[in-house]
Amino acid sequence: MERQSTYTATATIDEQGILTGWSEGARRLLGHEAAAVVGRPAAALLATGDGPAVRRTLAGRDRWHGTVPLRHQDGRRLDQGLLAHRRTSRAGESDWLVVTAVADRPQPPRGEPLEEWTFIQSPFPLAIFDTELRLMRANRRLERALSLPEAAMRGLRLTHIAPGPTRDEAERTMRQVLETGEPREVLAVLGPDLDRPTVLTPLKDGTGAVRAVCLATHRHAPDPAARQRAPDETAAHDPLAPGLERTARELADATVPRLADFMAVDLFDSPRGSGGPEDTSGTGTRPVVLRRAAVRAESDNGGPRAGPGVGGTVAYEPGSPPAESLTTGRSVLHDASDPVISGWAAVDPGAAWLSASDTHSLIVVPLLAEGSTLGVALFGRDRRTEPFGPEDLRLAEELTARAATGLHNERRYSRTHITTMAVQRTLLPHTLPGQAALDIAGHYLPAATRAGVGGDWFDVIPLSGARVALVVGDVVGHGMRASATMGRLRTAVRTLADVDLPADELLTHLDDLVLRLAADEGSAAPAAETAGGIGTTCLYAVYDPVSRHCTLARAGHPPPAVVTPDGAVRFLDVPAGPPLGLGGLPFEALETELPEGSLLALYTDGLLEARDHDIDEALDKMFDALVRPAPTLDAVCDRVLTELLSHHPDDDVALLVARTRALHTDRVASWELTSDPTVVAQARRYASDQLSAWRLEEAVFTTELMVSELVTNAIRYGRPPIRLRLIHHDSTLICEVYDASGSTPHMRRARIYDEGGRGLLLVAQLSERWGTRHDRVGKTVWAEQSLASG
């Protein structure tokens, strides 16, 4: 039996649900000829006939993927996976492009485990396309970046997975890689945060034959190097941000074929001084180097399309029309017969398209905005016979001036956005601290809006007694103000957590801080929005691995979800509390016991506010994603984000997932002590015997000294009951002494003849860190020592 090859079935449907296009692949899939279905309702092809349900599913979306029951011409039902994109023309008319890949080709065999792990867990988005340019594999990072699972993309071309002009350029470059066997780089904006150069690498077998192409790109959000680059440097090396390319493309679309037969927009990597005699943007002996932002021609071989594609570099020789226009800041109009044009074409290989396309008339206009030279626009005619005239020149200048203003605003927004992102990244934790209470993974996704990044944050704070605090917060607003407020609140939470305040008291202090910040900012700028972070939400949780108790309080924040080891999933009923900054309203804490191995999920509201589903559907998806087993917590985060975010989010999303551990009785020992000075020697023996049982004899001397001083202080200055507790986890030993007094011990410098006052100084010298935490009744003085350094 002859094996069927992979093919793509496509159809187009207008907003009224009428089929307007039907490909040969669609005929092969369902058996209907185009003439029989075009012009009819698309719902007639559904096996269920439930067209209204499909329209409700697509309402408000720009893209959808899933399995749809279709009816073949012979009556058979086909459950087919489809990918649908909403397309909007320049005239504002919308329709849907529906695609699916059909194949009986078996999946390629998986690689060796280490190679497979490398591909799947790579921090960079990766995809493999076969020799027909159909996707074979996609790793998790690419799935997250595109918000599409591999199953929805497998067998499709890049132009069907992420339609757009830069994808066409990427696919043409893929063909070159297959033909030449050499790697290439191209700018392909595959998604909202995939706008970096894309590397296309040929994958060869043992004979050297090219069998596939690997696509690899860098993402903005997780790129550690990008976080460490200065904002100006990042902006200078990212001239073709999506907004710049879109504005340049709109200029090209507006002028071809209305004004010119071909057109190109070339931009500097960073703006130069405005044209004038003192400007050096186009003078000297070196070529002027720009980057092509847009190009369009009526014919495939016309105009500068024969030159570099979008994202490629363009070098204009001194004295050439573009270089002169950049130098003087004035537009020029030339016939191809002008000596300056023929001289340019003779010395500059980059101008070969002038003769190759039979160009007979050329306009060059500098892109000027607010005292800066952004680049140059070239307009040419080769198909229509009449040359450009003065009216054409004025129209070109008018359209270019408008585009220059848009480009300037886009670049300014891009720089502001990059600066805000850089500030926010420095304020968010780069790595999660090591601790024994929880396994933790956290993900942060910035919003894809022009308002800028917001103030969402998460944090993990180790506390005394092997406990750990989890924090998730959401500052209202976007931009630099929100990021700065987020940084102040995060620092405040860390400071308050360091003194071991209970969860509800911590939020009360944080509420007071927001009120003070609002008062300070309100007095300086009364009209400022979201001054001081009023309306900010926060969730604070403390988990104790010894008791397995978790204490939580929230200020207007969504409740956390928990999945117990038996698979039950629910929200923890934490009292809501008001958002921060309202003042005078109390916060309440919830204390609950979490079995070992429970999964705790903290998040910001951007996760549940995706525009393509309601809140109930979002909650169901989140619960389902949390319950399903996963090899790592990072995989849990990836799954939650992939399931809930079909688009890049409209609001920032912070997600923190933690799995609880427990310190069992074999790692914890405690004793009740009487309030009698003679018990100190007995407490030392308790500690010595326990350390011997734990085979920590090298720590006995230091621990006995600390136990002696802490128990003595509790007897002398505290009140009964008195308890001694030792906790051993990993390479840390914690010594704690509790008493019922609320007084806080203070370290002081003892004078020569003082009989006391040296105890806490000795504890501080012997321990890695020490401190006091207050309970509802009484206090605990603790000291932590590192067994590795001991």
Side-chain angles (χ1 to χ4, degrees):
M1 178 178 179
E2 182 180 356
R3 192 175 76 173
Q4 181 185 14
S5 61
T6 302
Y7 64 91
T8 302
T10 65
T12 54
I13 306 171
D14 67 17
E15 289 287 15
Q16 286 71 46
I18 304 300
L19 280 163
T20 57
W22 190 256
S23 71
E24 172 61 20
R27 185 200 63 78
R28 292 175 62 184
L29 175 64
L30 295 181
H32 299 282
E33 297 292 339
V37 294
V38 172
R40 296 180 57 197
L45 299 177
L46 297 175
T48 59
D50 194 1
V54 175
R55 285 194 292 273
R56 287 194 300 271
T57 300
L58 297 179
R61 299 189 180 193
D62 291 327
R63 187 178 67 188
W64 178 87
H65 66 88
T67 301
V68 176
L70 302 175
R71 184 71 66 190
H72 194 275
Q73 185 188 32
D74 60 12
R76 289 182 290 118
R77 169 174 169 151
L78 297 177
D79 291 323
Q80 188 69 31
L82 301 179
L83 176 60
H85 302 277
R86 183 192 295 273
R87 305 182 303 181
T88 303
S89 68
R90 292 193 299 274
E93 298 177 352
S94 298
D95 67 353
W96 285 88
L97 170 66
V98 183
V99 299
T100 184
V102 185
D104 63 354
R105 182 177 303 170
Q107 286 295 305
R110 299 293 188 183
E112 295 297 325
L114 185 58
E115 298 169 356
E116 182 70 9
W117 298 337
T118 301
F119 179 86
I120 292 176
Q121 300 176 26
S122 169
F124 307 114
L126 299 174
I128 298 176
F129 293 83
D130 61 18
T131 54
E132 296 179 358
L133 304 186
R134 298 179 182 278
L135 187 136
M136 302 166 62
R137 297 291 309 281
N139 72 346
R140 293 170 182 165
R141 288 297 183 186
L142 187 67
E143 288 180 315
R144 278 189 54 205
L146 298 180
S147 299
L148 283 173
E150 182 188 77
M153 299 183 283
R154 191 181 299 124
L156 293 177
R157 306 261 291 266
L158 184 61
T159 50
H160 287 144
I161 296 171
T166 61
R167 289 68 148 184
D168 296 336
E169 179 70 19
E171 192 160 274
R172 284 194 295 269
T173 308
M174 276 192 205
R175 293 189 185 279
Q176 296 174 2
V177 172
L178 287 173
E179 295 169 359
T180 64
E182 298 295 331
R184 297 288 179 90
E185 184 174 301
V186 65
L187 184 80
V189 184
L190 306 183
D193 65 342
L194 282 180
D195 53 2
R196 294 280 181 159
T198 299
V199 179
L200 301 171
T201 306
L203 302 181
K204 304 177 182 179
D205 61 16
T207 65
V210 179
R211 298 296 186 184
V213 176
C214 177
L215 178 150
T217 186
H218 297 277
R219 298 183 58 211
H220 281 157
D223 181 7
R227 287 199 297 264
Q228 297 169 6
R229 285 196 297 260
D232 285 347
E233 180 186 351
T234 306
H237 286 77
D238 189 23
L240 287 182
L244 293 177
E245 184 188 338
R246 181 179 60 252
T247 304
R249 187 170 64 248
E250 288 173 354
L251 175 59
D253 292 342
T255 54
V256 178
R258 175 187 175 190
L259 173 66
D261 295 328
F262 61 83
M263 190 266 175
V265 179
D266 300 325
L267 300 178
F268 286 115
D269 282 358
S270 58
R272 309 294 178 90
S274 61
E278 74 285 352
D279 184 27
T280 59
S281 60
T283 60
T285 58
R286 292 183 301 176
V288 184
V289 179
L290 302 95
R291 196 176 297 272
R292 182 138 292 172
V295 59
R296 182 171 178 181
E298 277 286 84
S299 60
D300 291 337
N301 298 320
R305 177 163 292 187
V310 172
T313 56
V314 183
Y316 293 119
E317 295 293 332
S320 64
E324 287 297 321
S325 179
L326 290 168
T327 302
T328 62
R330 293 192 296 270
S331 306
V332 294
L333 190 159
H334 290 287
D335 289 332
S337 59
D338 292 347
V340 66
I341 296 294
S342 57
W344 176 31
V347 300
D348 187 354
W353 55 268
L354 286 167
S355 55
S357 61
D358 296 325
T359 299
H360 61 81
S361 191
L362 179 70
I363 290 177
V364 182
V365 183
L367 290 157
L368 307 175
E370 297 189 16
S372 297
T373 302
L374 308 179
V376 66
L378 284 70
F379 306 85
R381 285 183 175 175
D382 61 351
R383 303 185 70 183
R384 66 184 80 182
T385 57
E386 67 275 12
F388 288 120
E391 288 298 323
D392 297 321
L393 178 60
R394 280 194 290 271
L395 179 58
E397 289 176 334
E398 179 183 346
L399 295 173
T400 303
R402 294 177 183 175
T405 301
L407 290 168
H408 180 76
N409 292 337
E410 286 289 347
R411 197 183 292 274
R412 182 167 53 189
Y413 159 74
S414 180
R415 287 180 178 273
T416 302
H417 183 79
I418 290 169
T419 302
T420 307
M421 284 289 293
V423 170
Q424 188 180 50
R425 291 299 179 187
T426 60
L427 297 175
L428 289 171
H430 289 189
T431 58
L432 299 178
Q435 37 75 43
L438 299 165
D439 292 319
I440 298 177
H443 285 225
Y444 170 79
L445 288 179
T449 65
R450 294 190 58 85
V453 295
D456 292 22
W457 92 93
F458 63 83
D459 211 347
V460 179
I461 309 171
L463 303 176
S464 63
R467 298 168 306 133
V468 64
L470 304 177
V471 193
V472 174
D474 185 356
V475 175
V476 293
H478 292 81
M480 187 65 74
R481 177 186 294 272
S483 293
T485 302
M486 178 268 285
R488 300 166 93 173
L489 294 181
R490 177 173 178 258
T491 301
V493 170
R494 280 186 159 266
T495 302
L496 295 170
D498 195 48
V499 297
D500 264 315
L501 286 179
D504 51 345
E505 291 186 24
L506 182 142
L507 291 183
T508 299
H509 283 277
L510 203 61
D511 185 52
D512 293 339
L513 172 64
V514 170
L515 285 173
R516 291 196 299 273
L517 292 177
D520 292 343
E521 293 191 13
S523 61
E529 296 181 3
T530 66
I534 289 179
T536 294
T537 67
C538 183
L539 172 64
Y540 184 79
V542 176
Y543 175 70
D544 185 344
V546 177
S547 64
R548 296 188 291 281
H549 282 190
C550 185
T551 305
L552 310 97
R554 62 187 177 115
H557 202 82
V562 64
V563 182
T564 52
D566 60 2
V569 58
R570 70 183 192 280
F571 283 124
L572 291 178
D573 190 19
V574 185
L580 298 175
L582 300 186
L585 298 175
F587 298 96
E588 298 181 48
L590 168 73
E591 183 171 340
T592 184
E593 182 174 346
L594 297 178
E596 182 178 6
S598 297
L599 187 70
L600 193 63
L602 289 69
Y603 53 91
T604 54
D605 56 9
L607 181 67
L608 301 179
E609 292 181 351
R611 60 181 179 265
D612 55 350
H613 49 61
D614 58 30
I615 186 66
D616 291 333
E617 182 184 356
L619 294 177
D620 290 341
K621 287 184 175 182
M622 184 175 73
F623 282 176
D624 181 65
L626 290 173
V627 166
R628 298 206 309 270
T632 65
L633 292 184
D634 277 320
V636 174
C637 289
D638 287 341
R639 179 192 297 153
V640 170
L641 295 174
T642 301
E643 291 291 333
L644 270 72
L645 303 177
S646 59
H647 302 77
H648 204 67
D650 295 326
D651 191 11
D652 288 16
V653 174
L655 174 63
L656 192 62
V657 175
R659 193 180 303 280
T660 61
R661 298 176 182 173
L663 290 177
H664 299 286
T665 54
D666 61 333
R667 292 295 177 180
V668 181
S670 61
W671 302 269
E672 295 284 341
L673 304 177
T674 60
S675 184
D676 186 334
T678 61
V679 82
V680 176
Q682 185 179 6
R684 287 199 298 266
R685 285 195 300 273
Y686 287 152
S688 175
D689 293 344
Q690 186 60 56
L691 294 185
S692 296
W694 284 338
R695 297 184 179 181
L696 300 176
E697 289 83 358
E698 71 280 1
V700 169
F701 179 74
T702 301
T703 305
E704 283 185 338
L705 287 176
M706 290 195 291
V707 167
S708 180
E709 296 299 337
L710 295 180
V711 172
T712 298
N713 280 351
I715 294 172
R716 181 175 297 177
Y717 305 110
R719 293 202 305 265
I722 298 173
R723 287 191 294 270
L724 168 65
R725 184 168 74 165
L726 297 179
I727 302 173
H728 173 217
H729 68 93
D730 296 338
S731 59
T732 301
L733 180 64
I734 301 171
C735 174
E736 297 182 342
V737 175
Y738 167 85
D739 74 84
S741 169
S743 61
T744 301
H746 297 283
M747 185 169 56
R748 66 182 180 87
R749 185 174 297 280
R751 293 185 292 271
I752 296 176
Y753 298 106
D754 287 352
E755 295 182 0
R758 299 174 179 84
L760 289 180
L761 179 62
L762 181 62
V763 170
Q765 296 295 319
L766 294 174
S767 62
E768 290 286 323
R769 59 190 189 115
W770 74 281
T772 305
R773 69 173 180 269
H774 290 268
D775 302 316
R776 298 296 181 186
V777 177
K779 68 178 182 299
T780 299
V781 183
W782 55 272
E784 185 177 302
Q785 57 178 308
S786 172
L787 301 178
S789 62

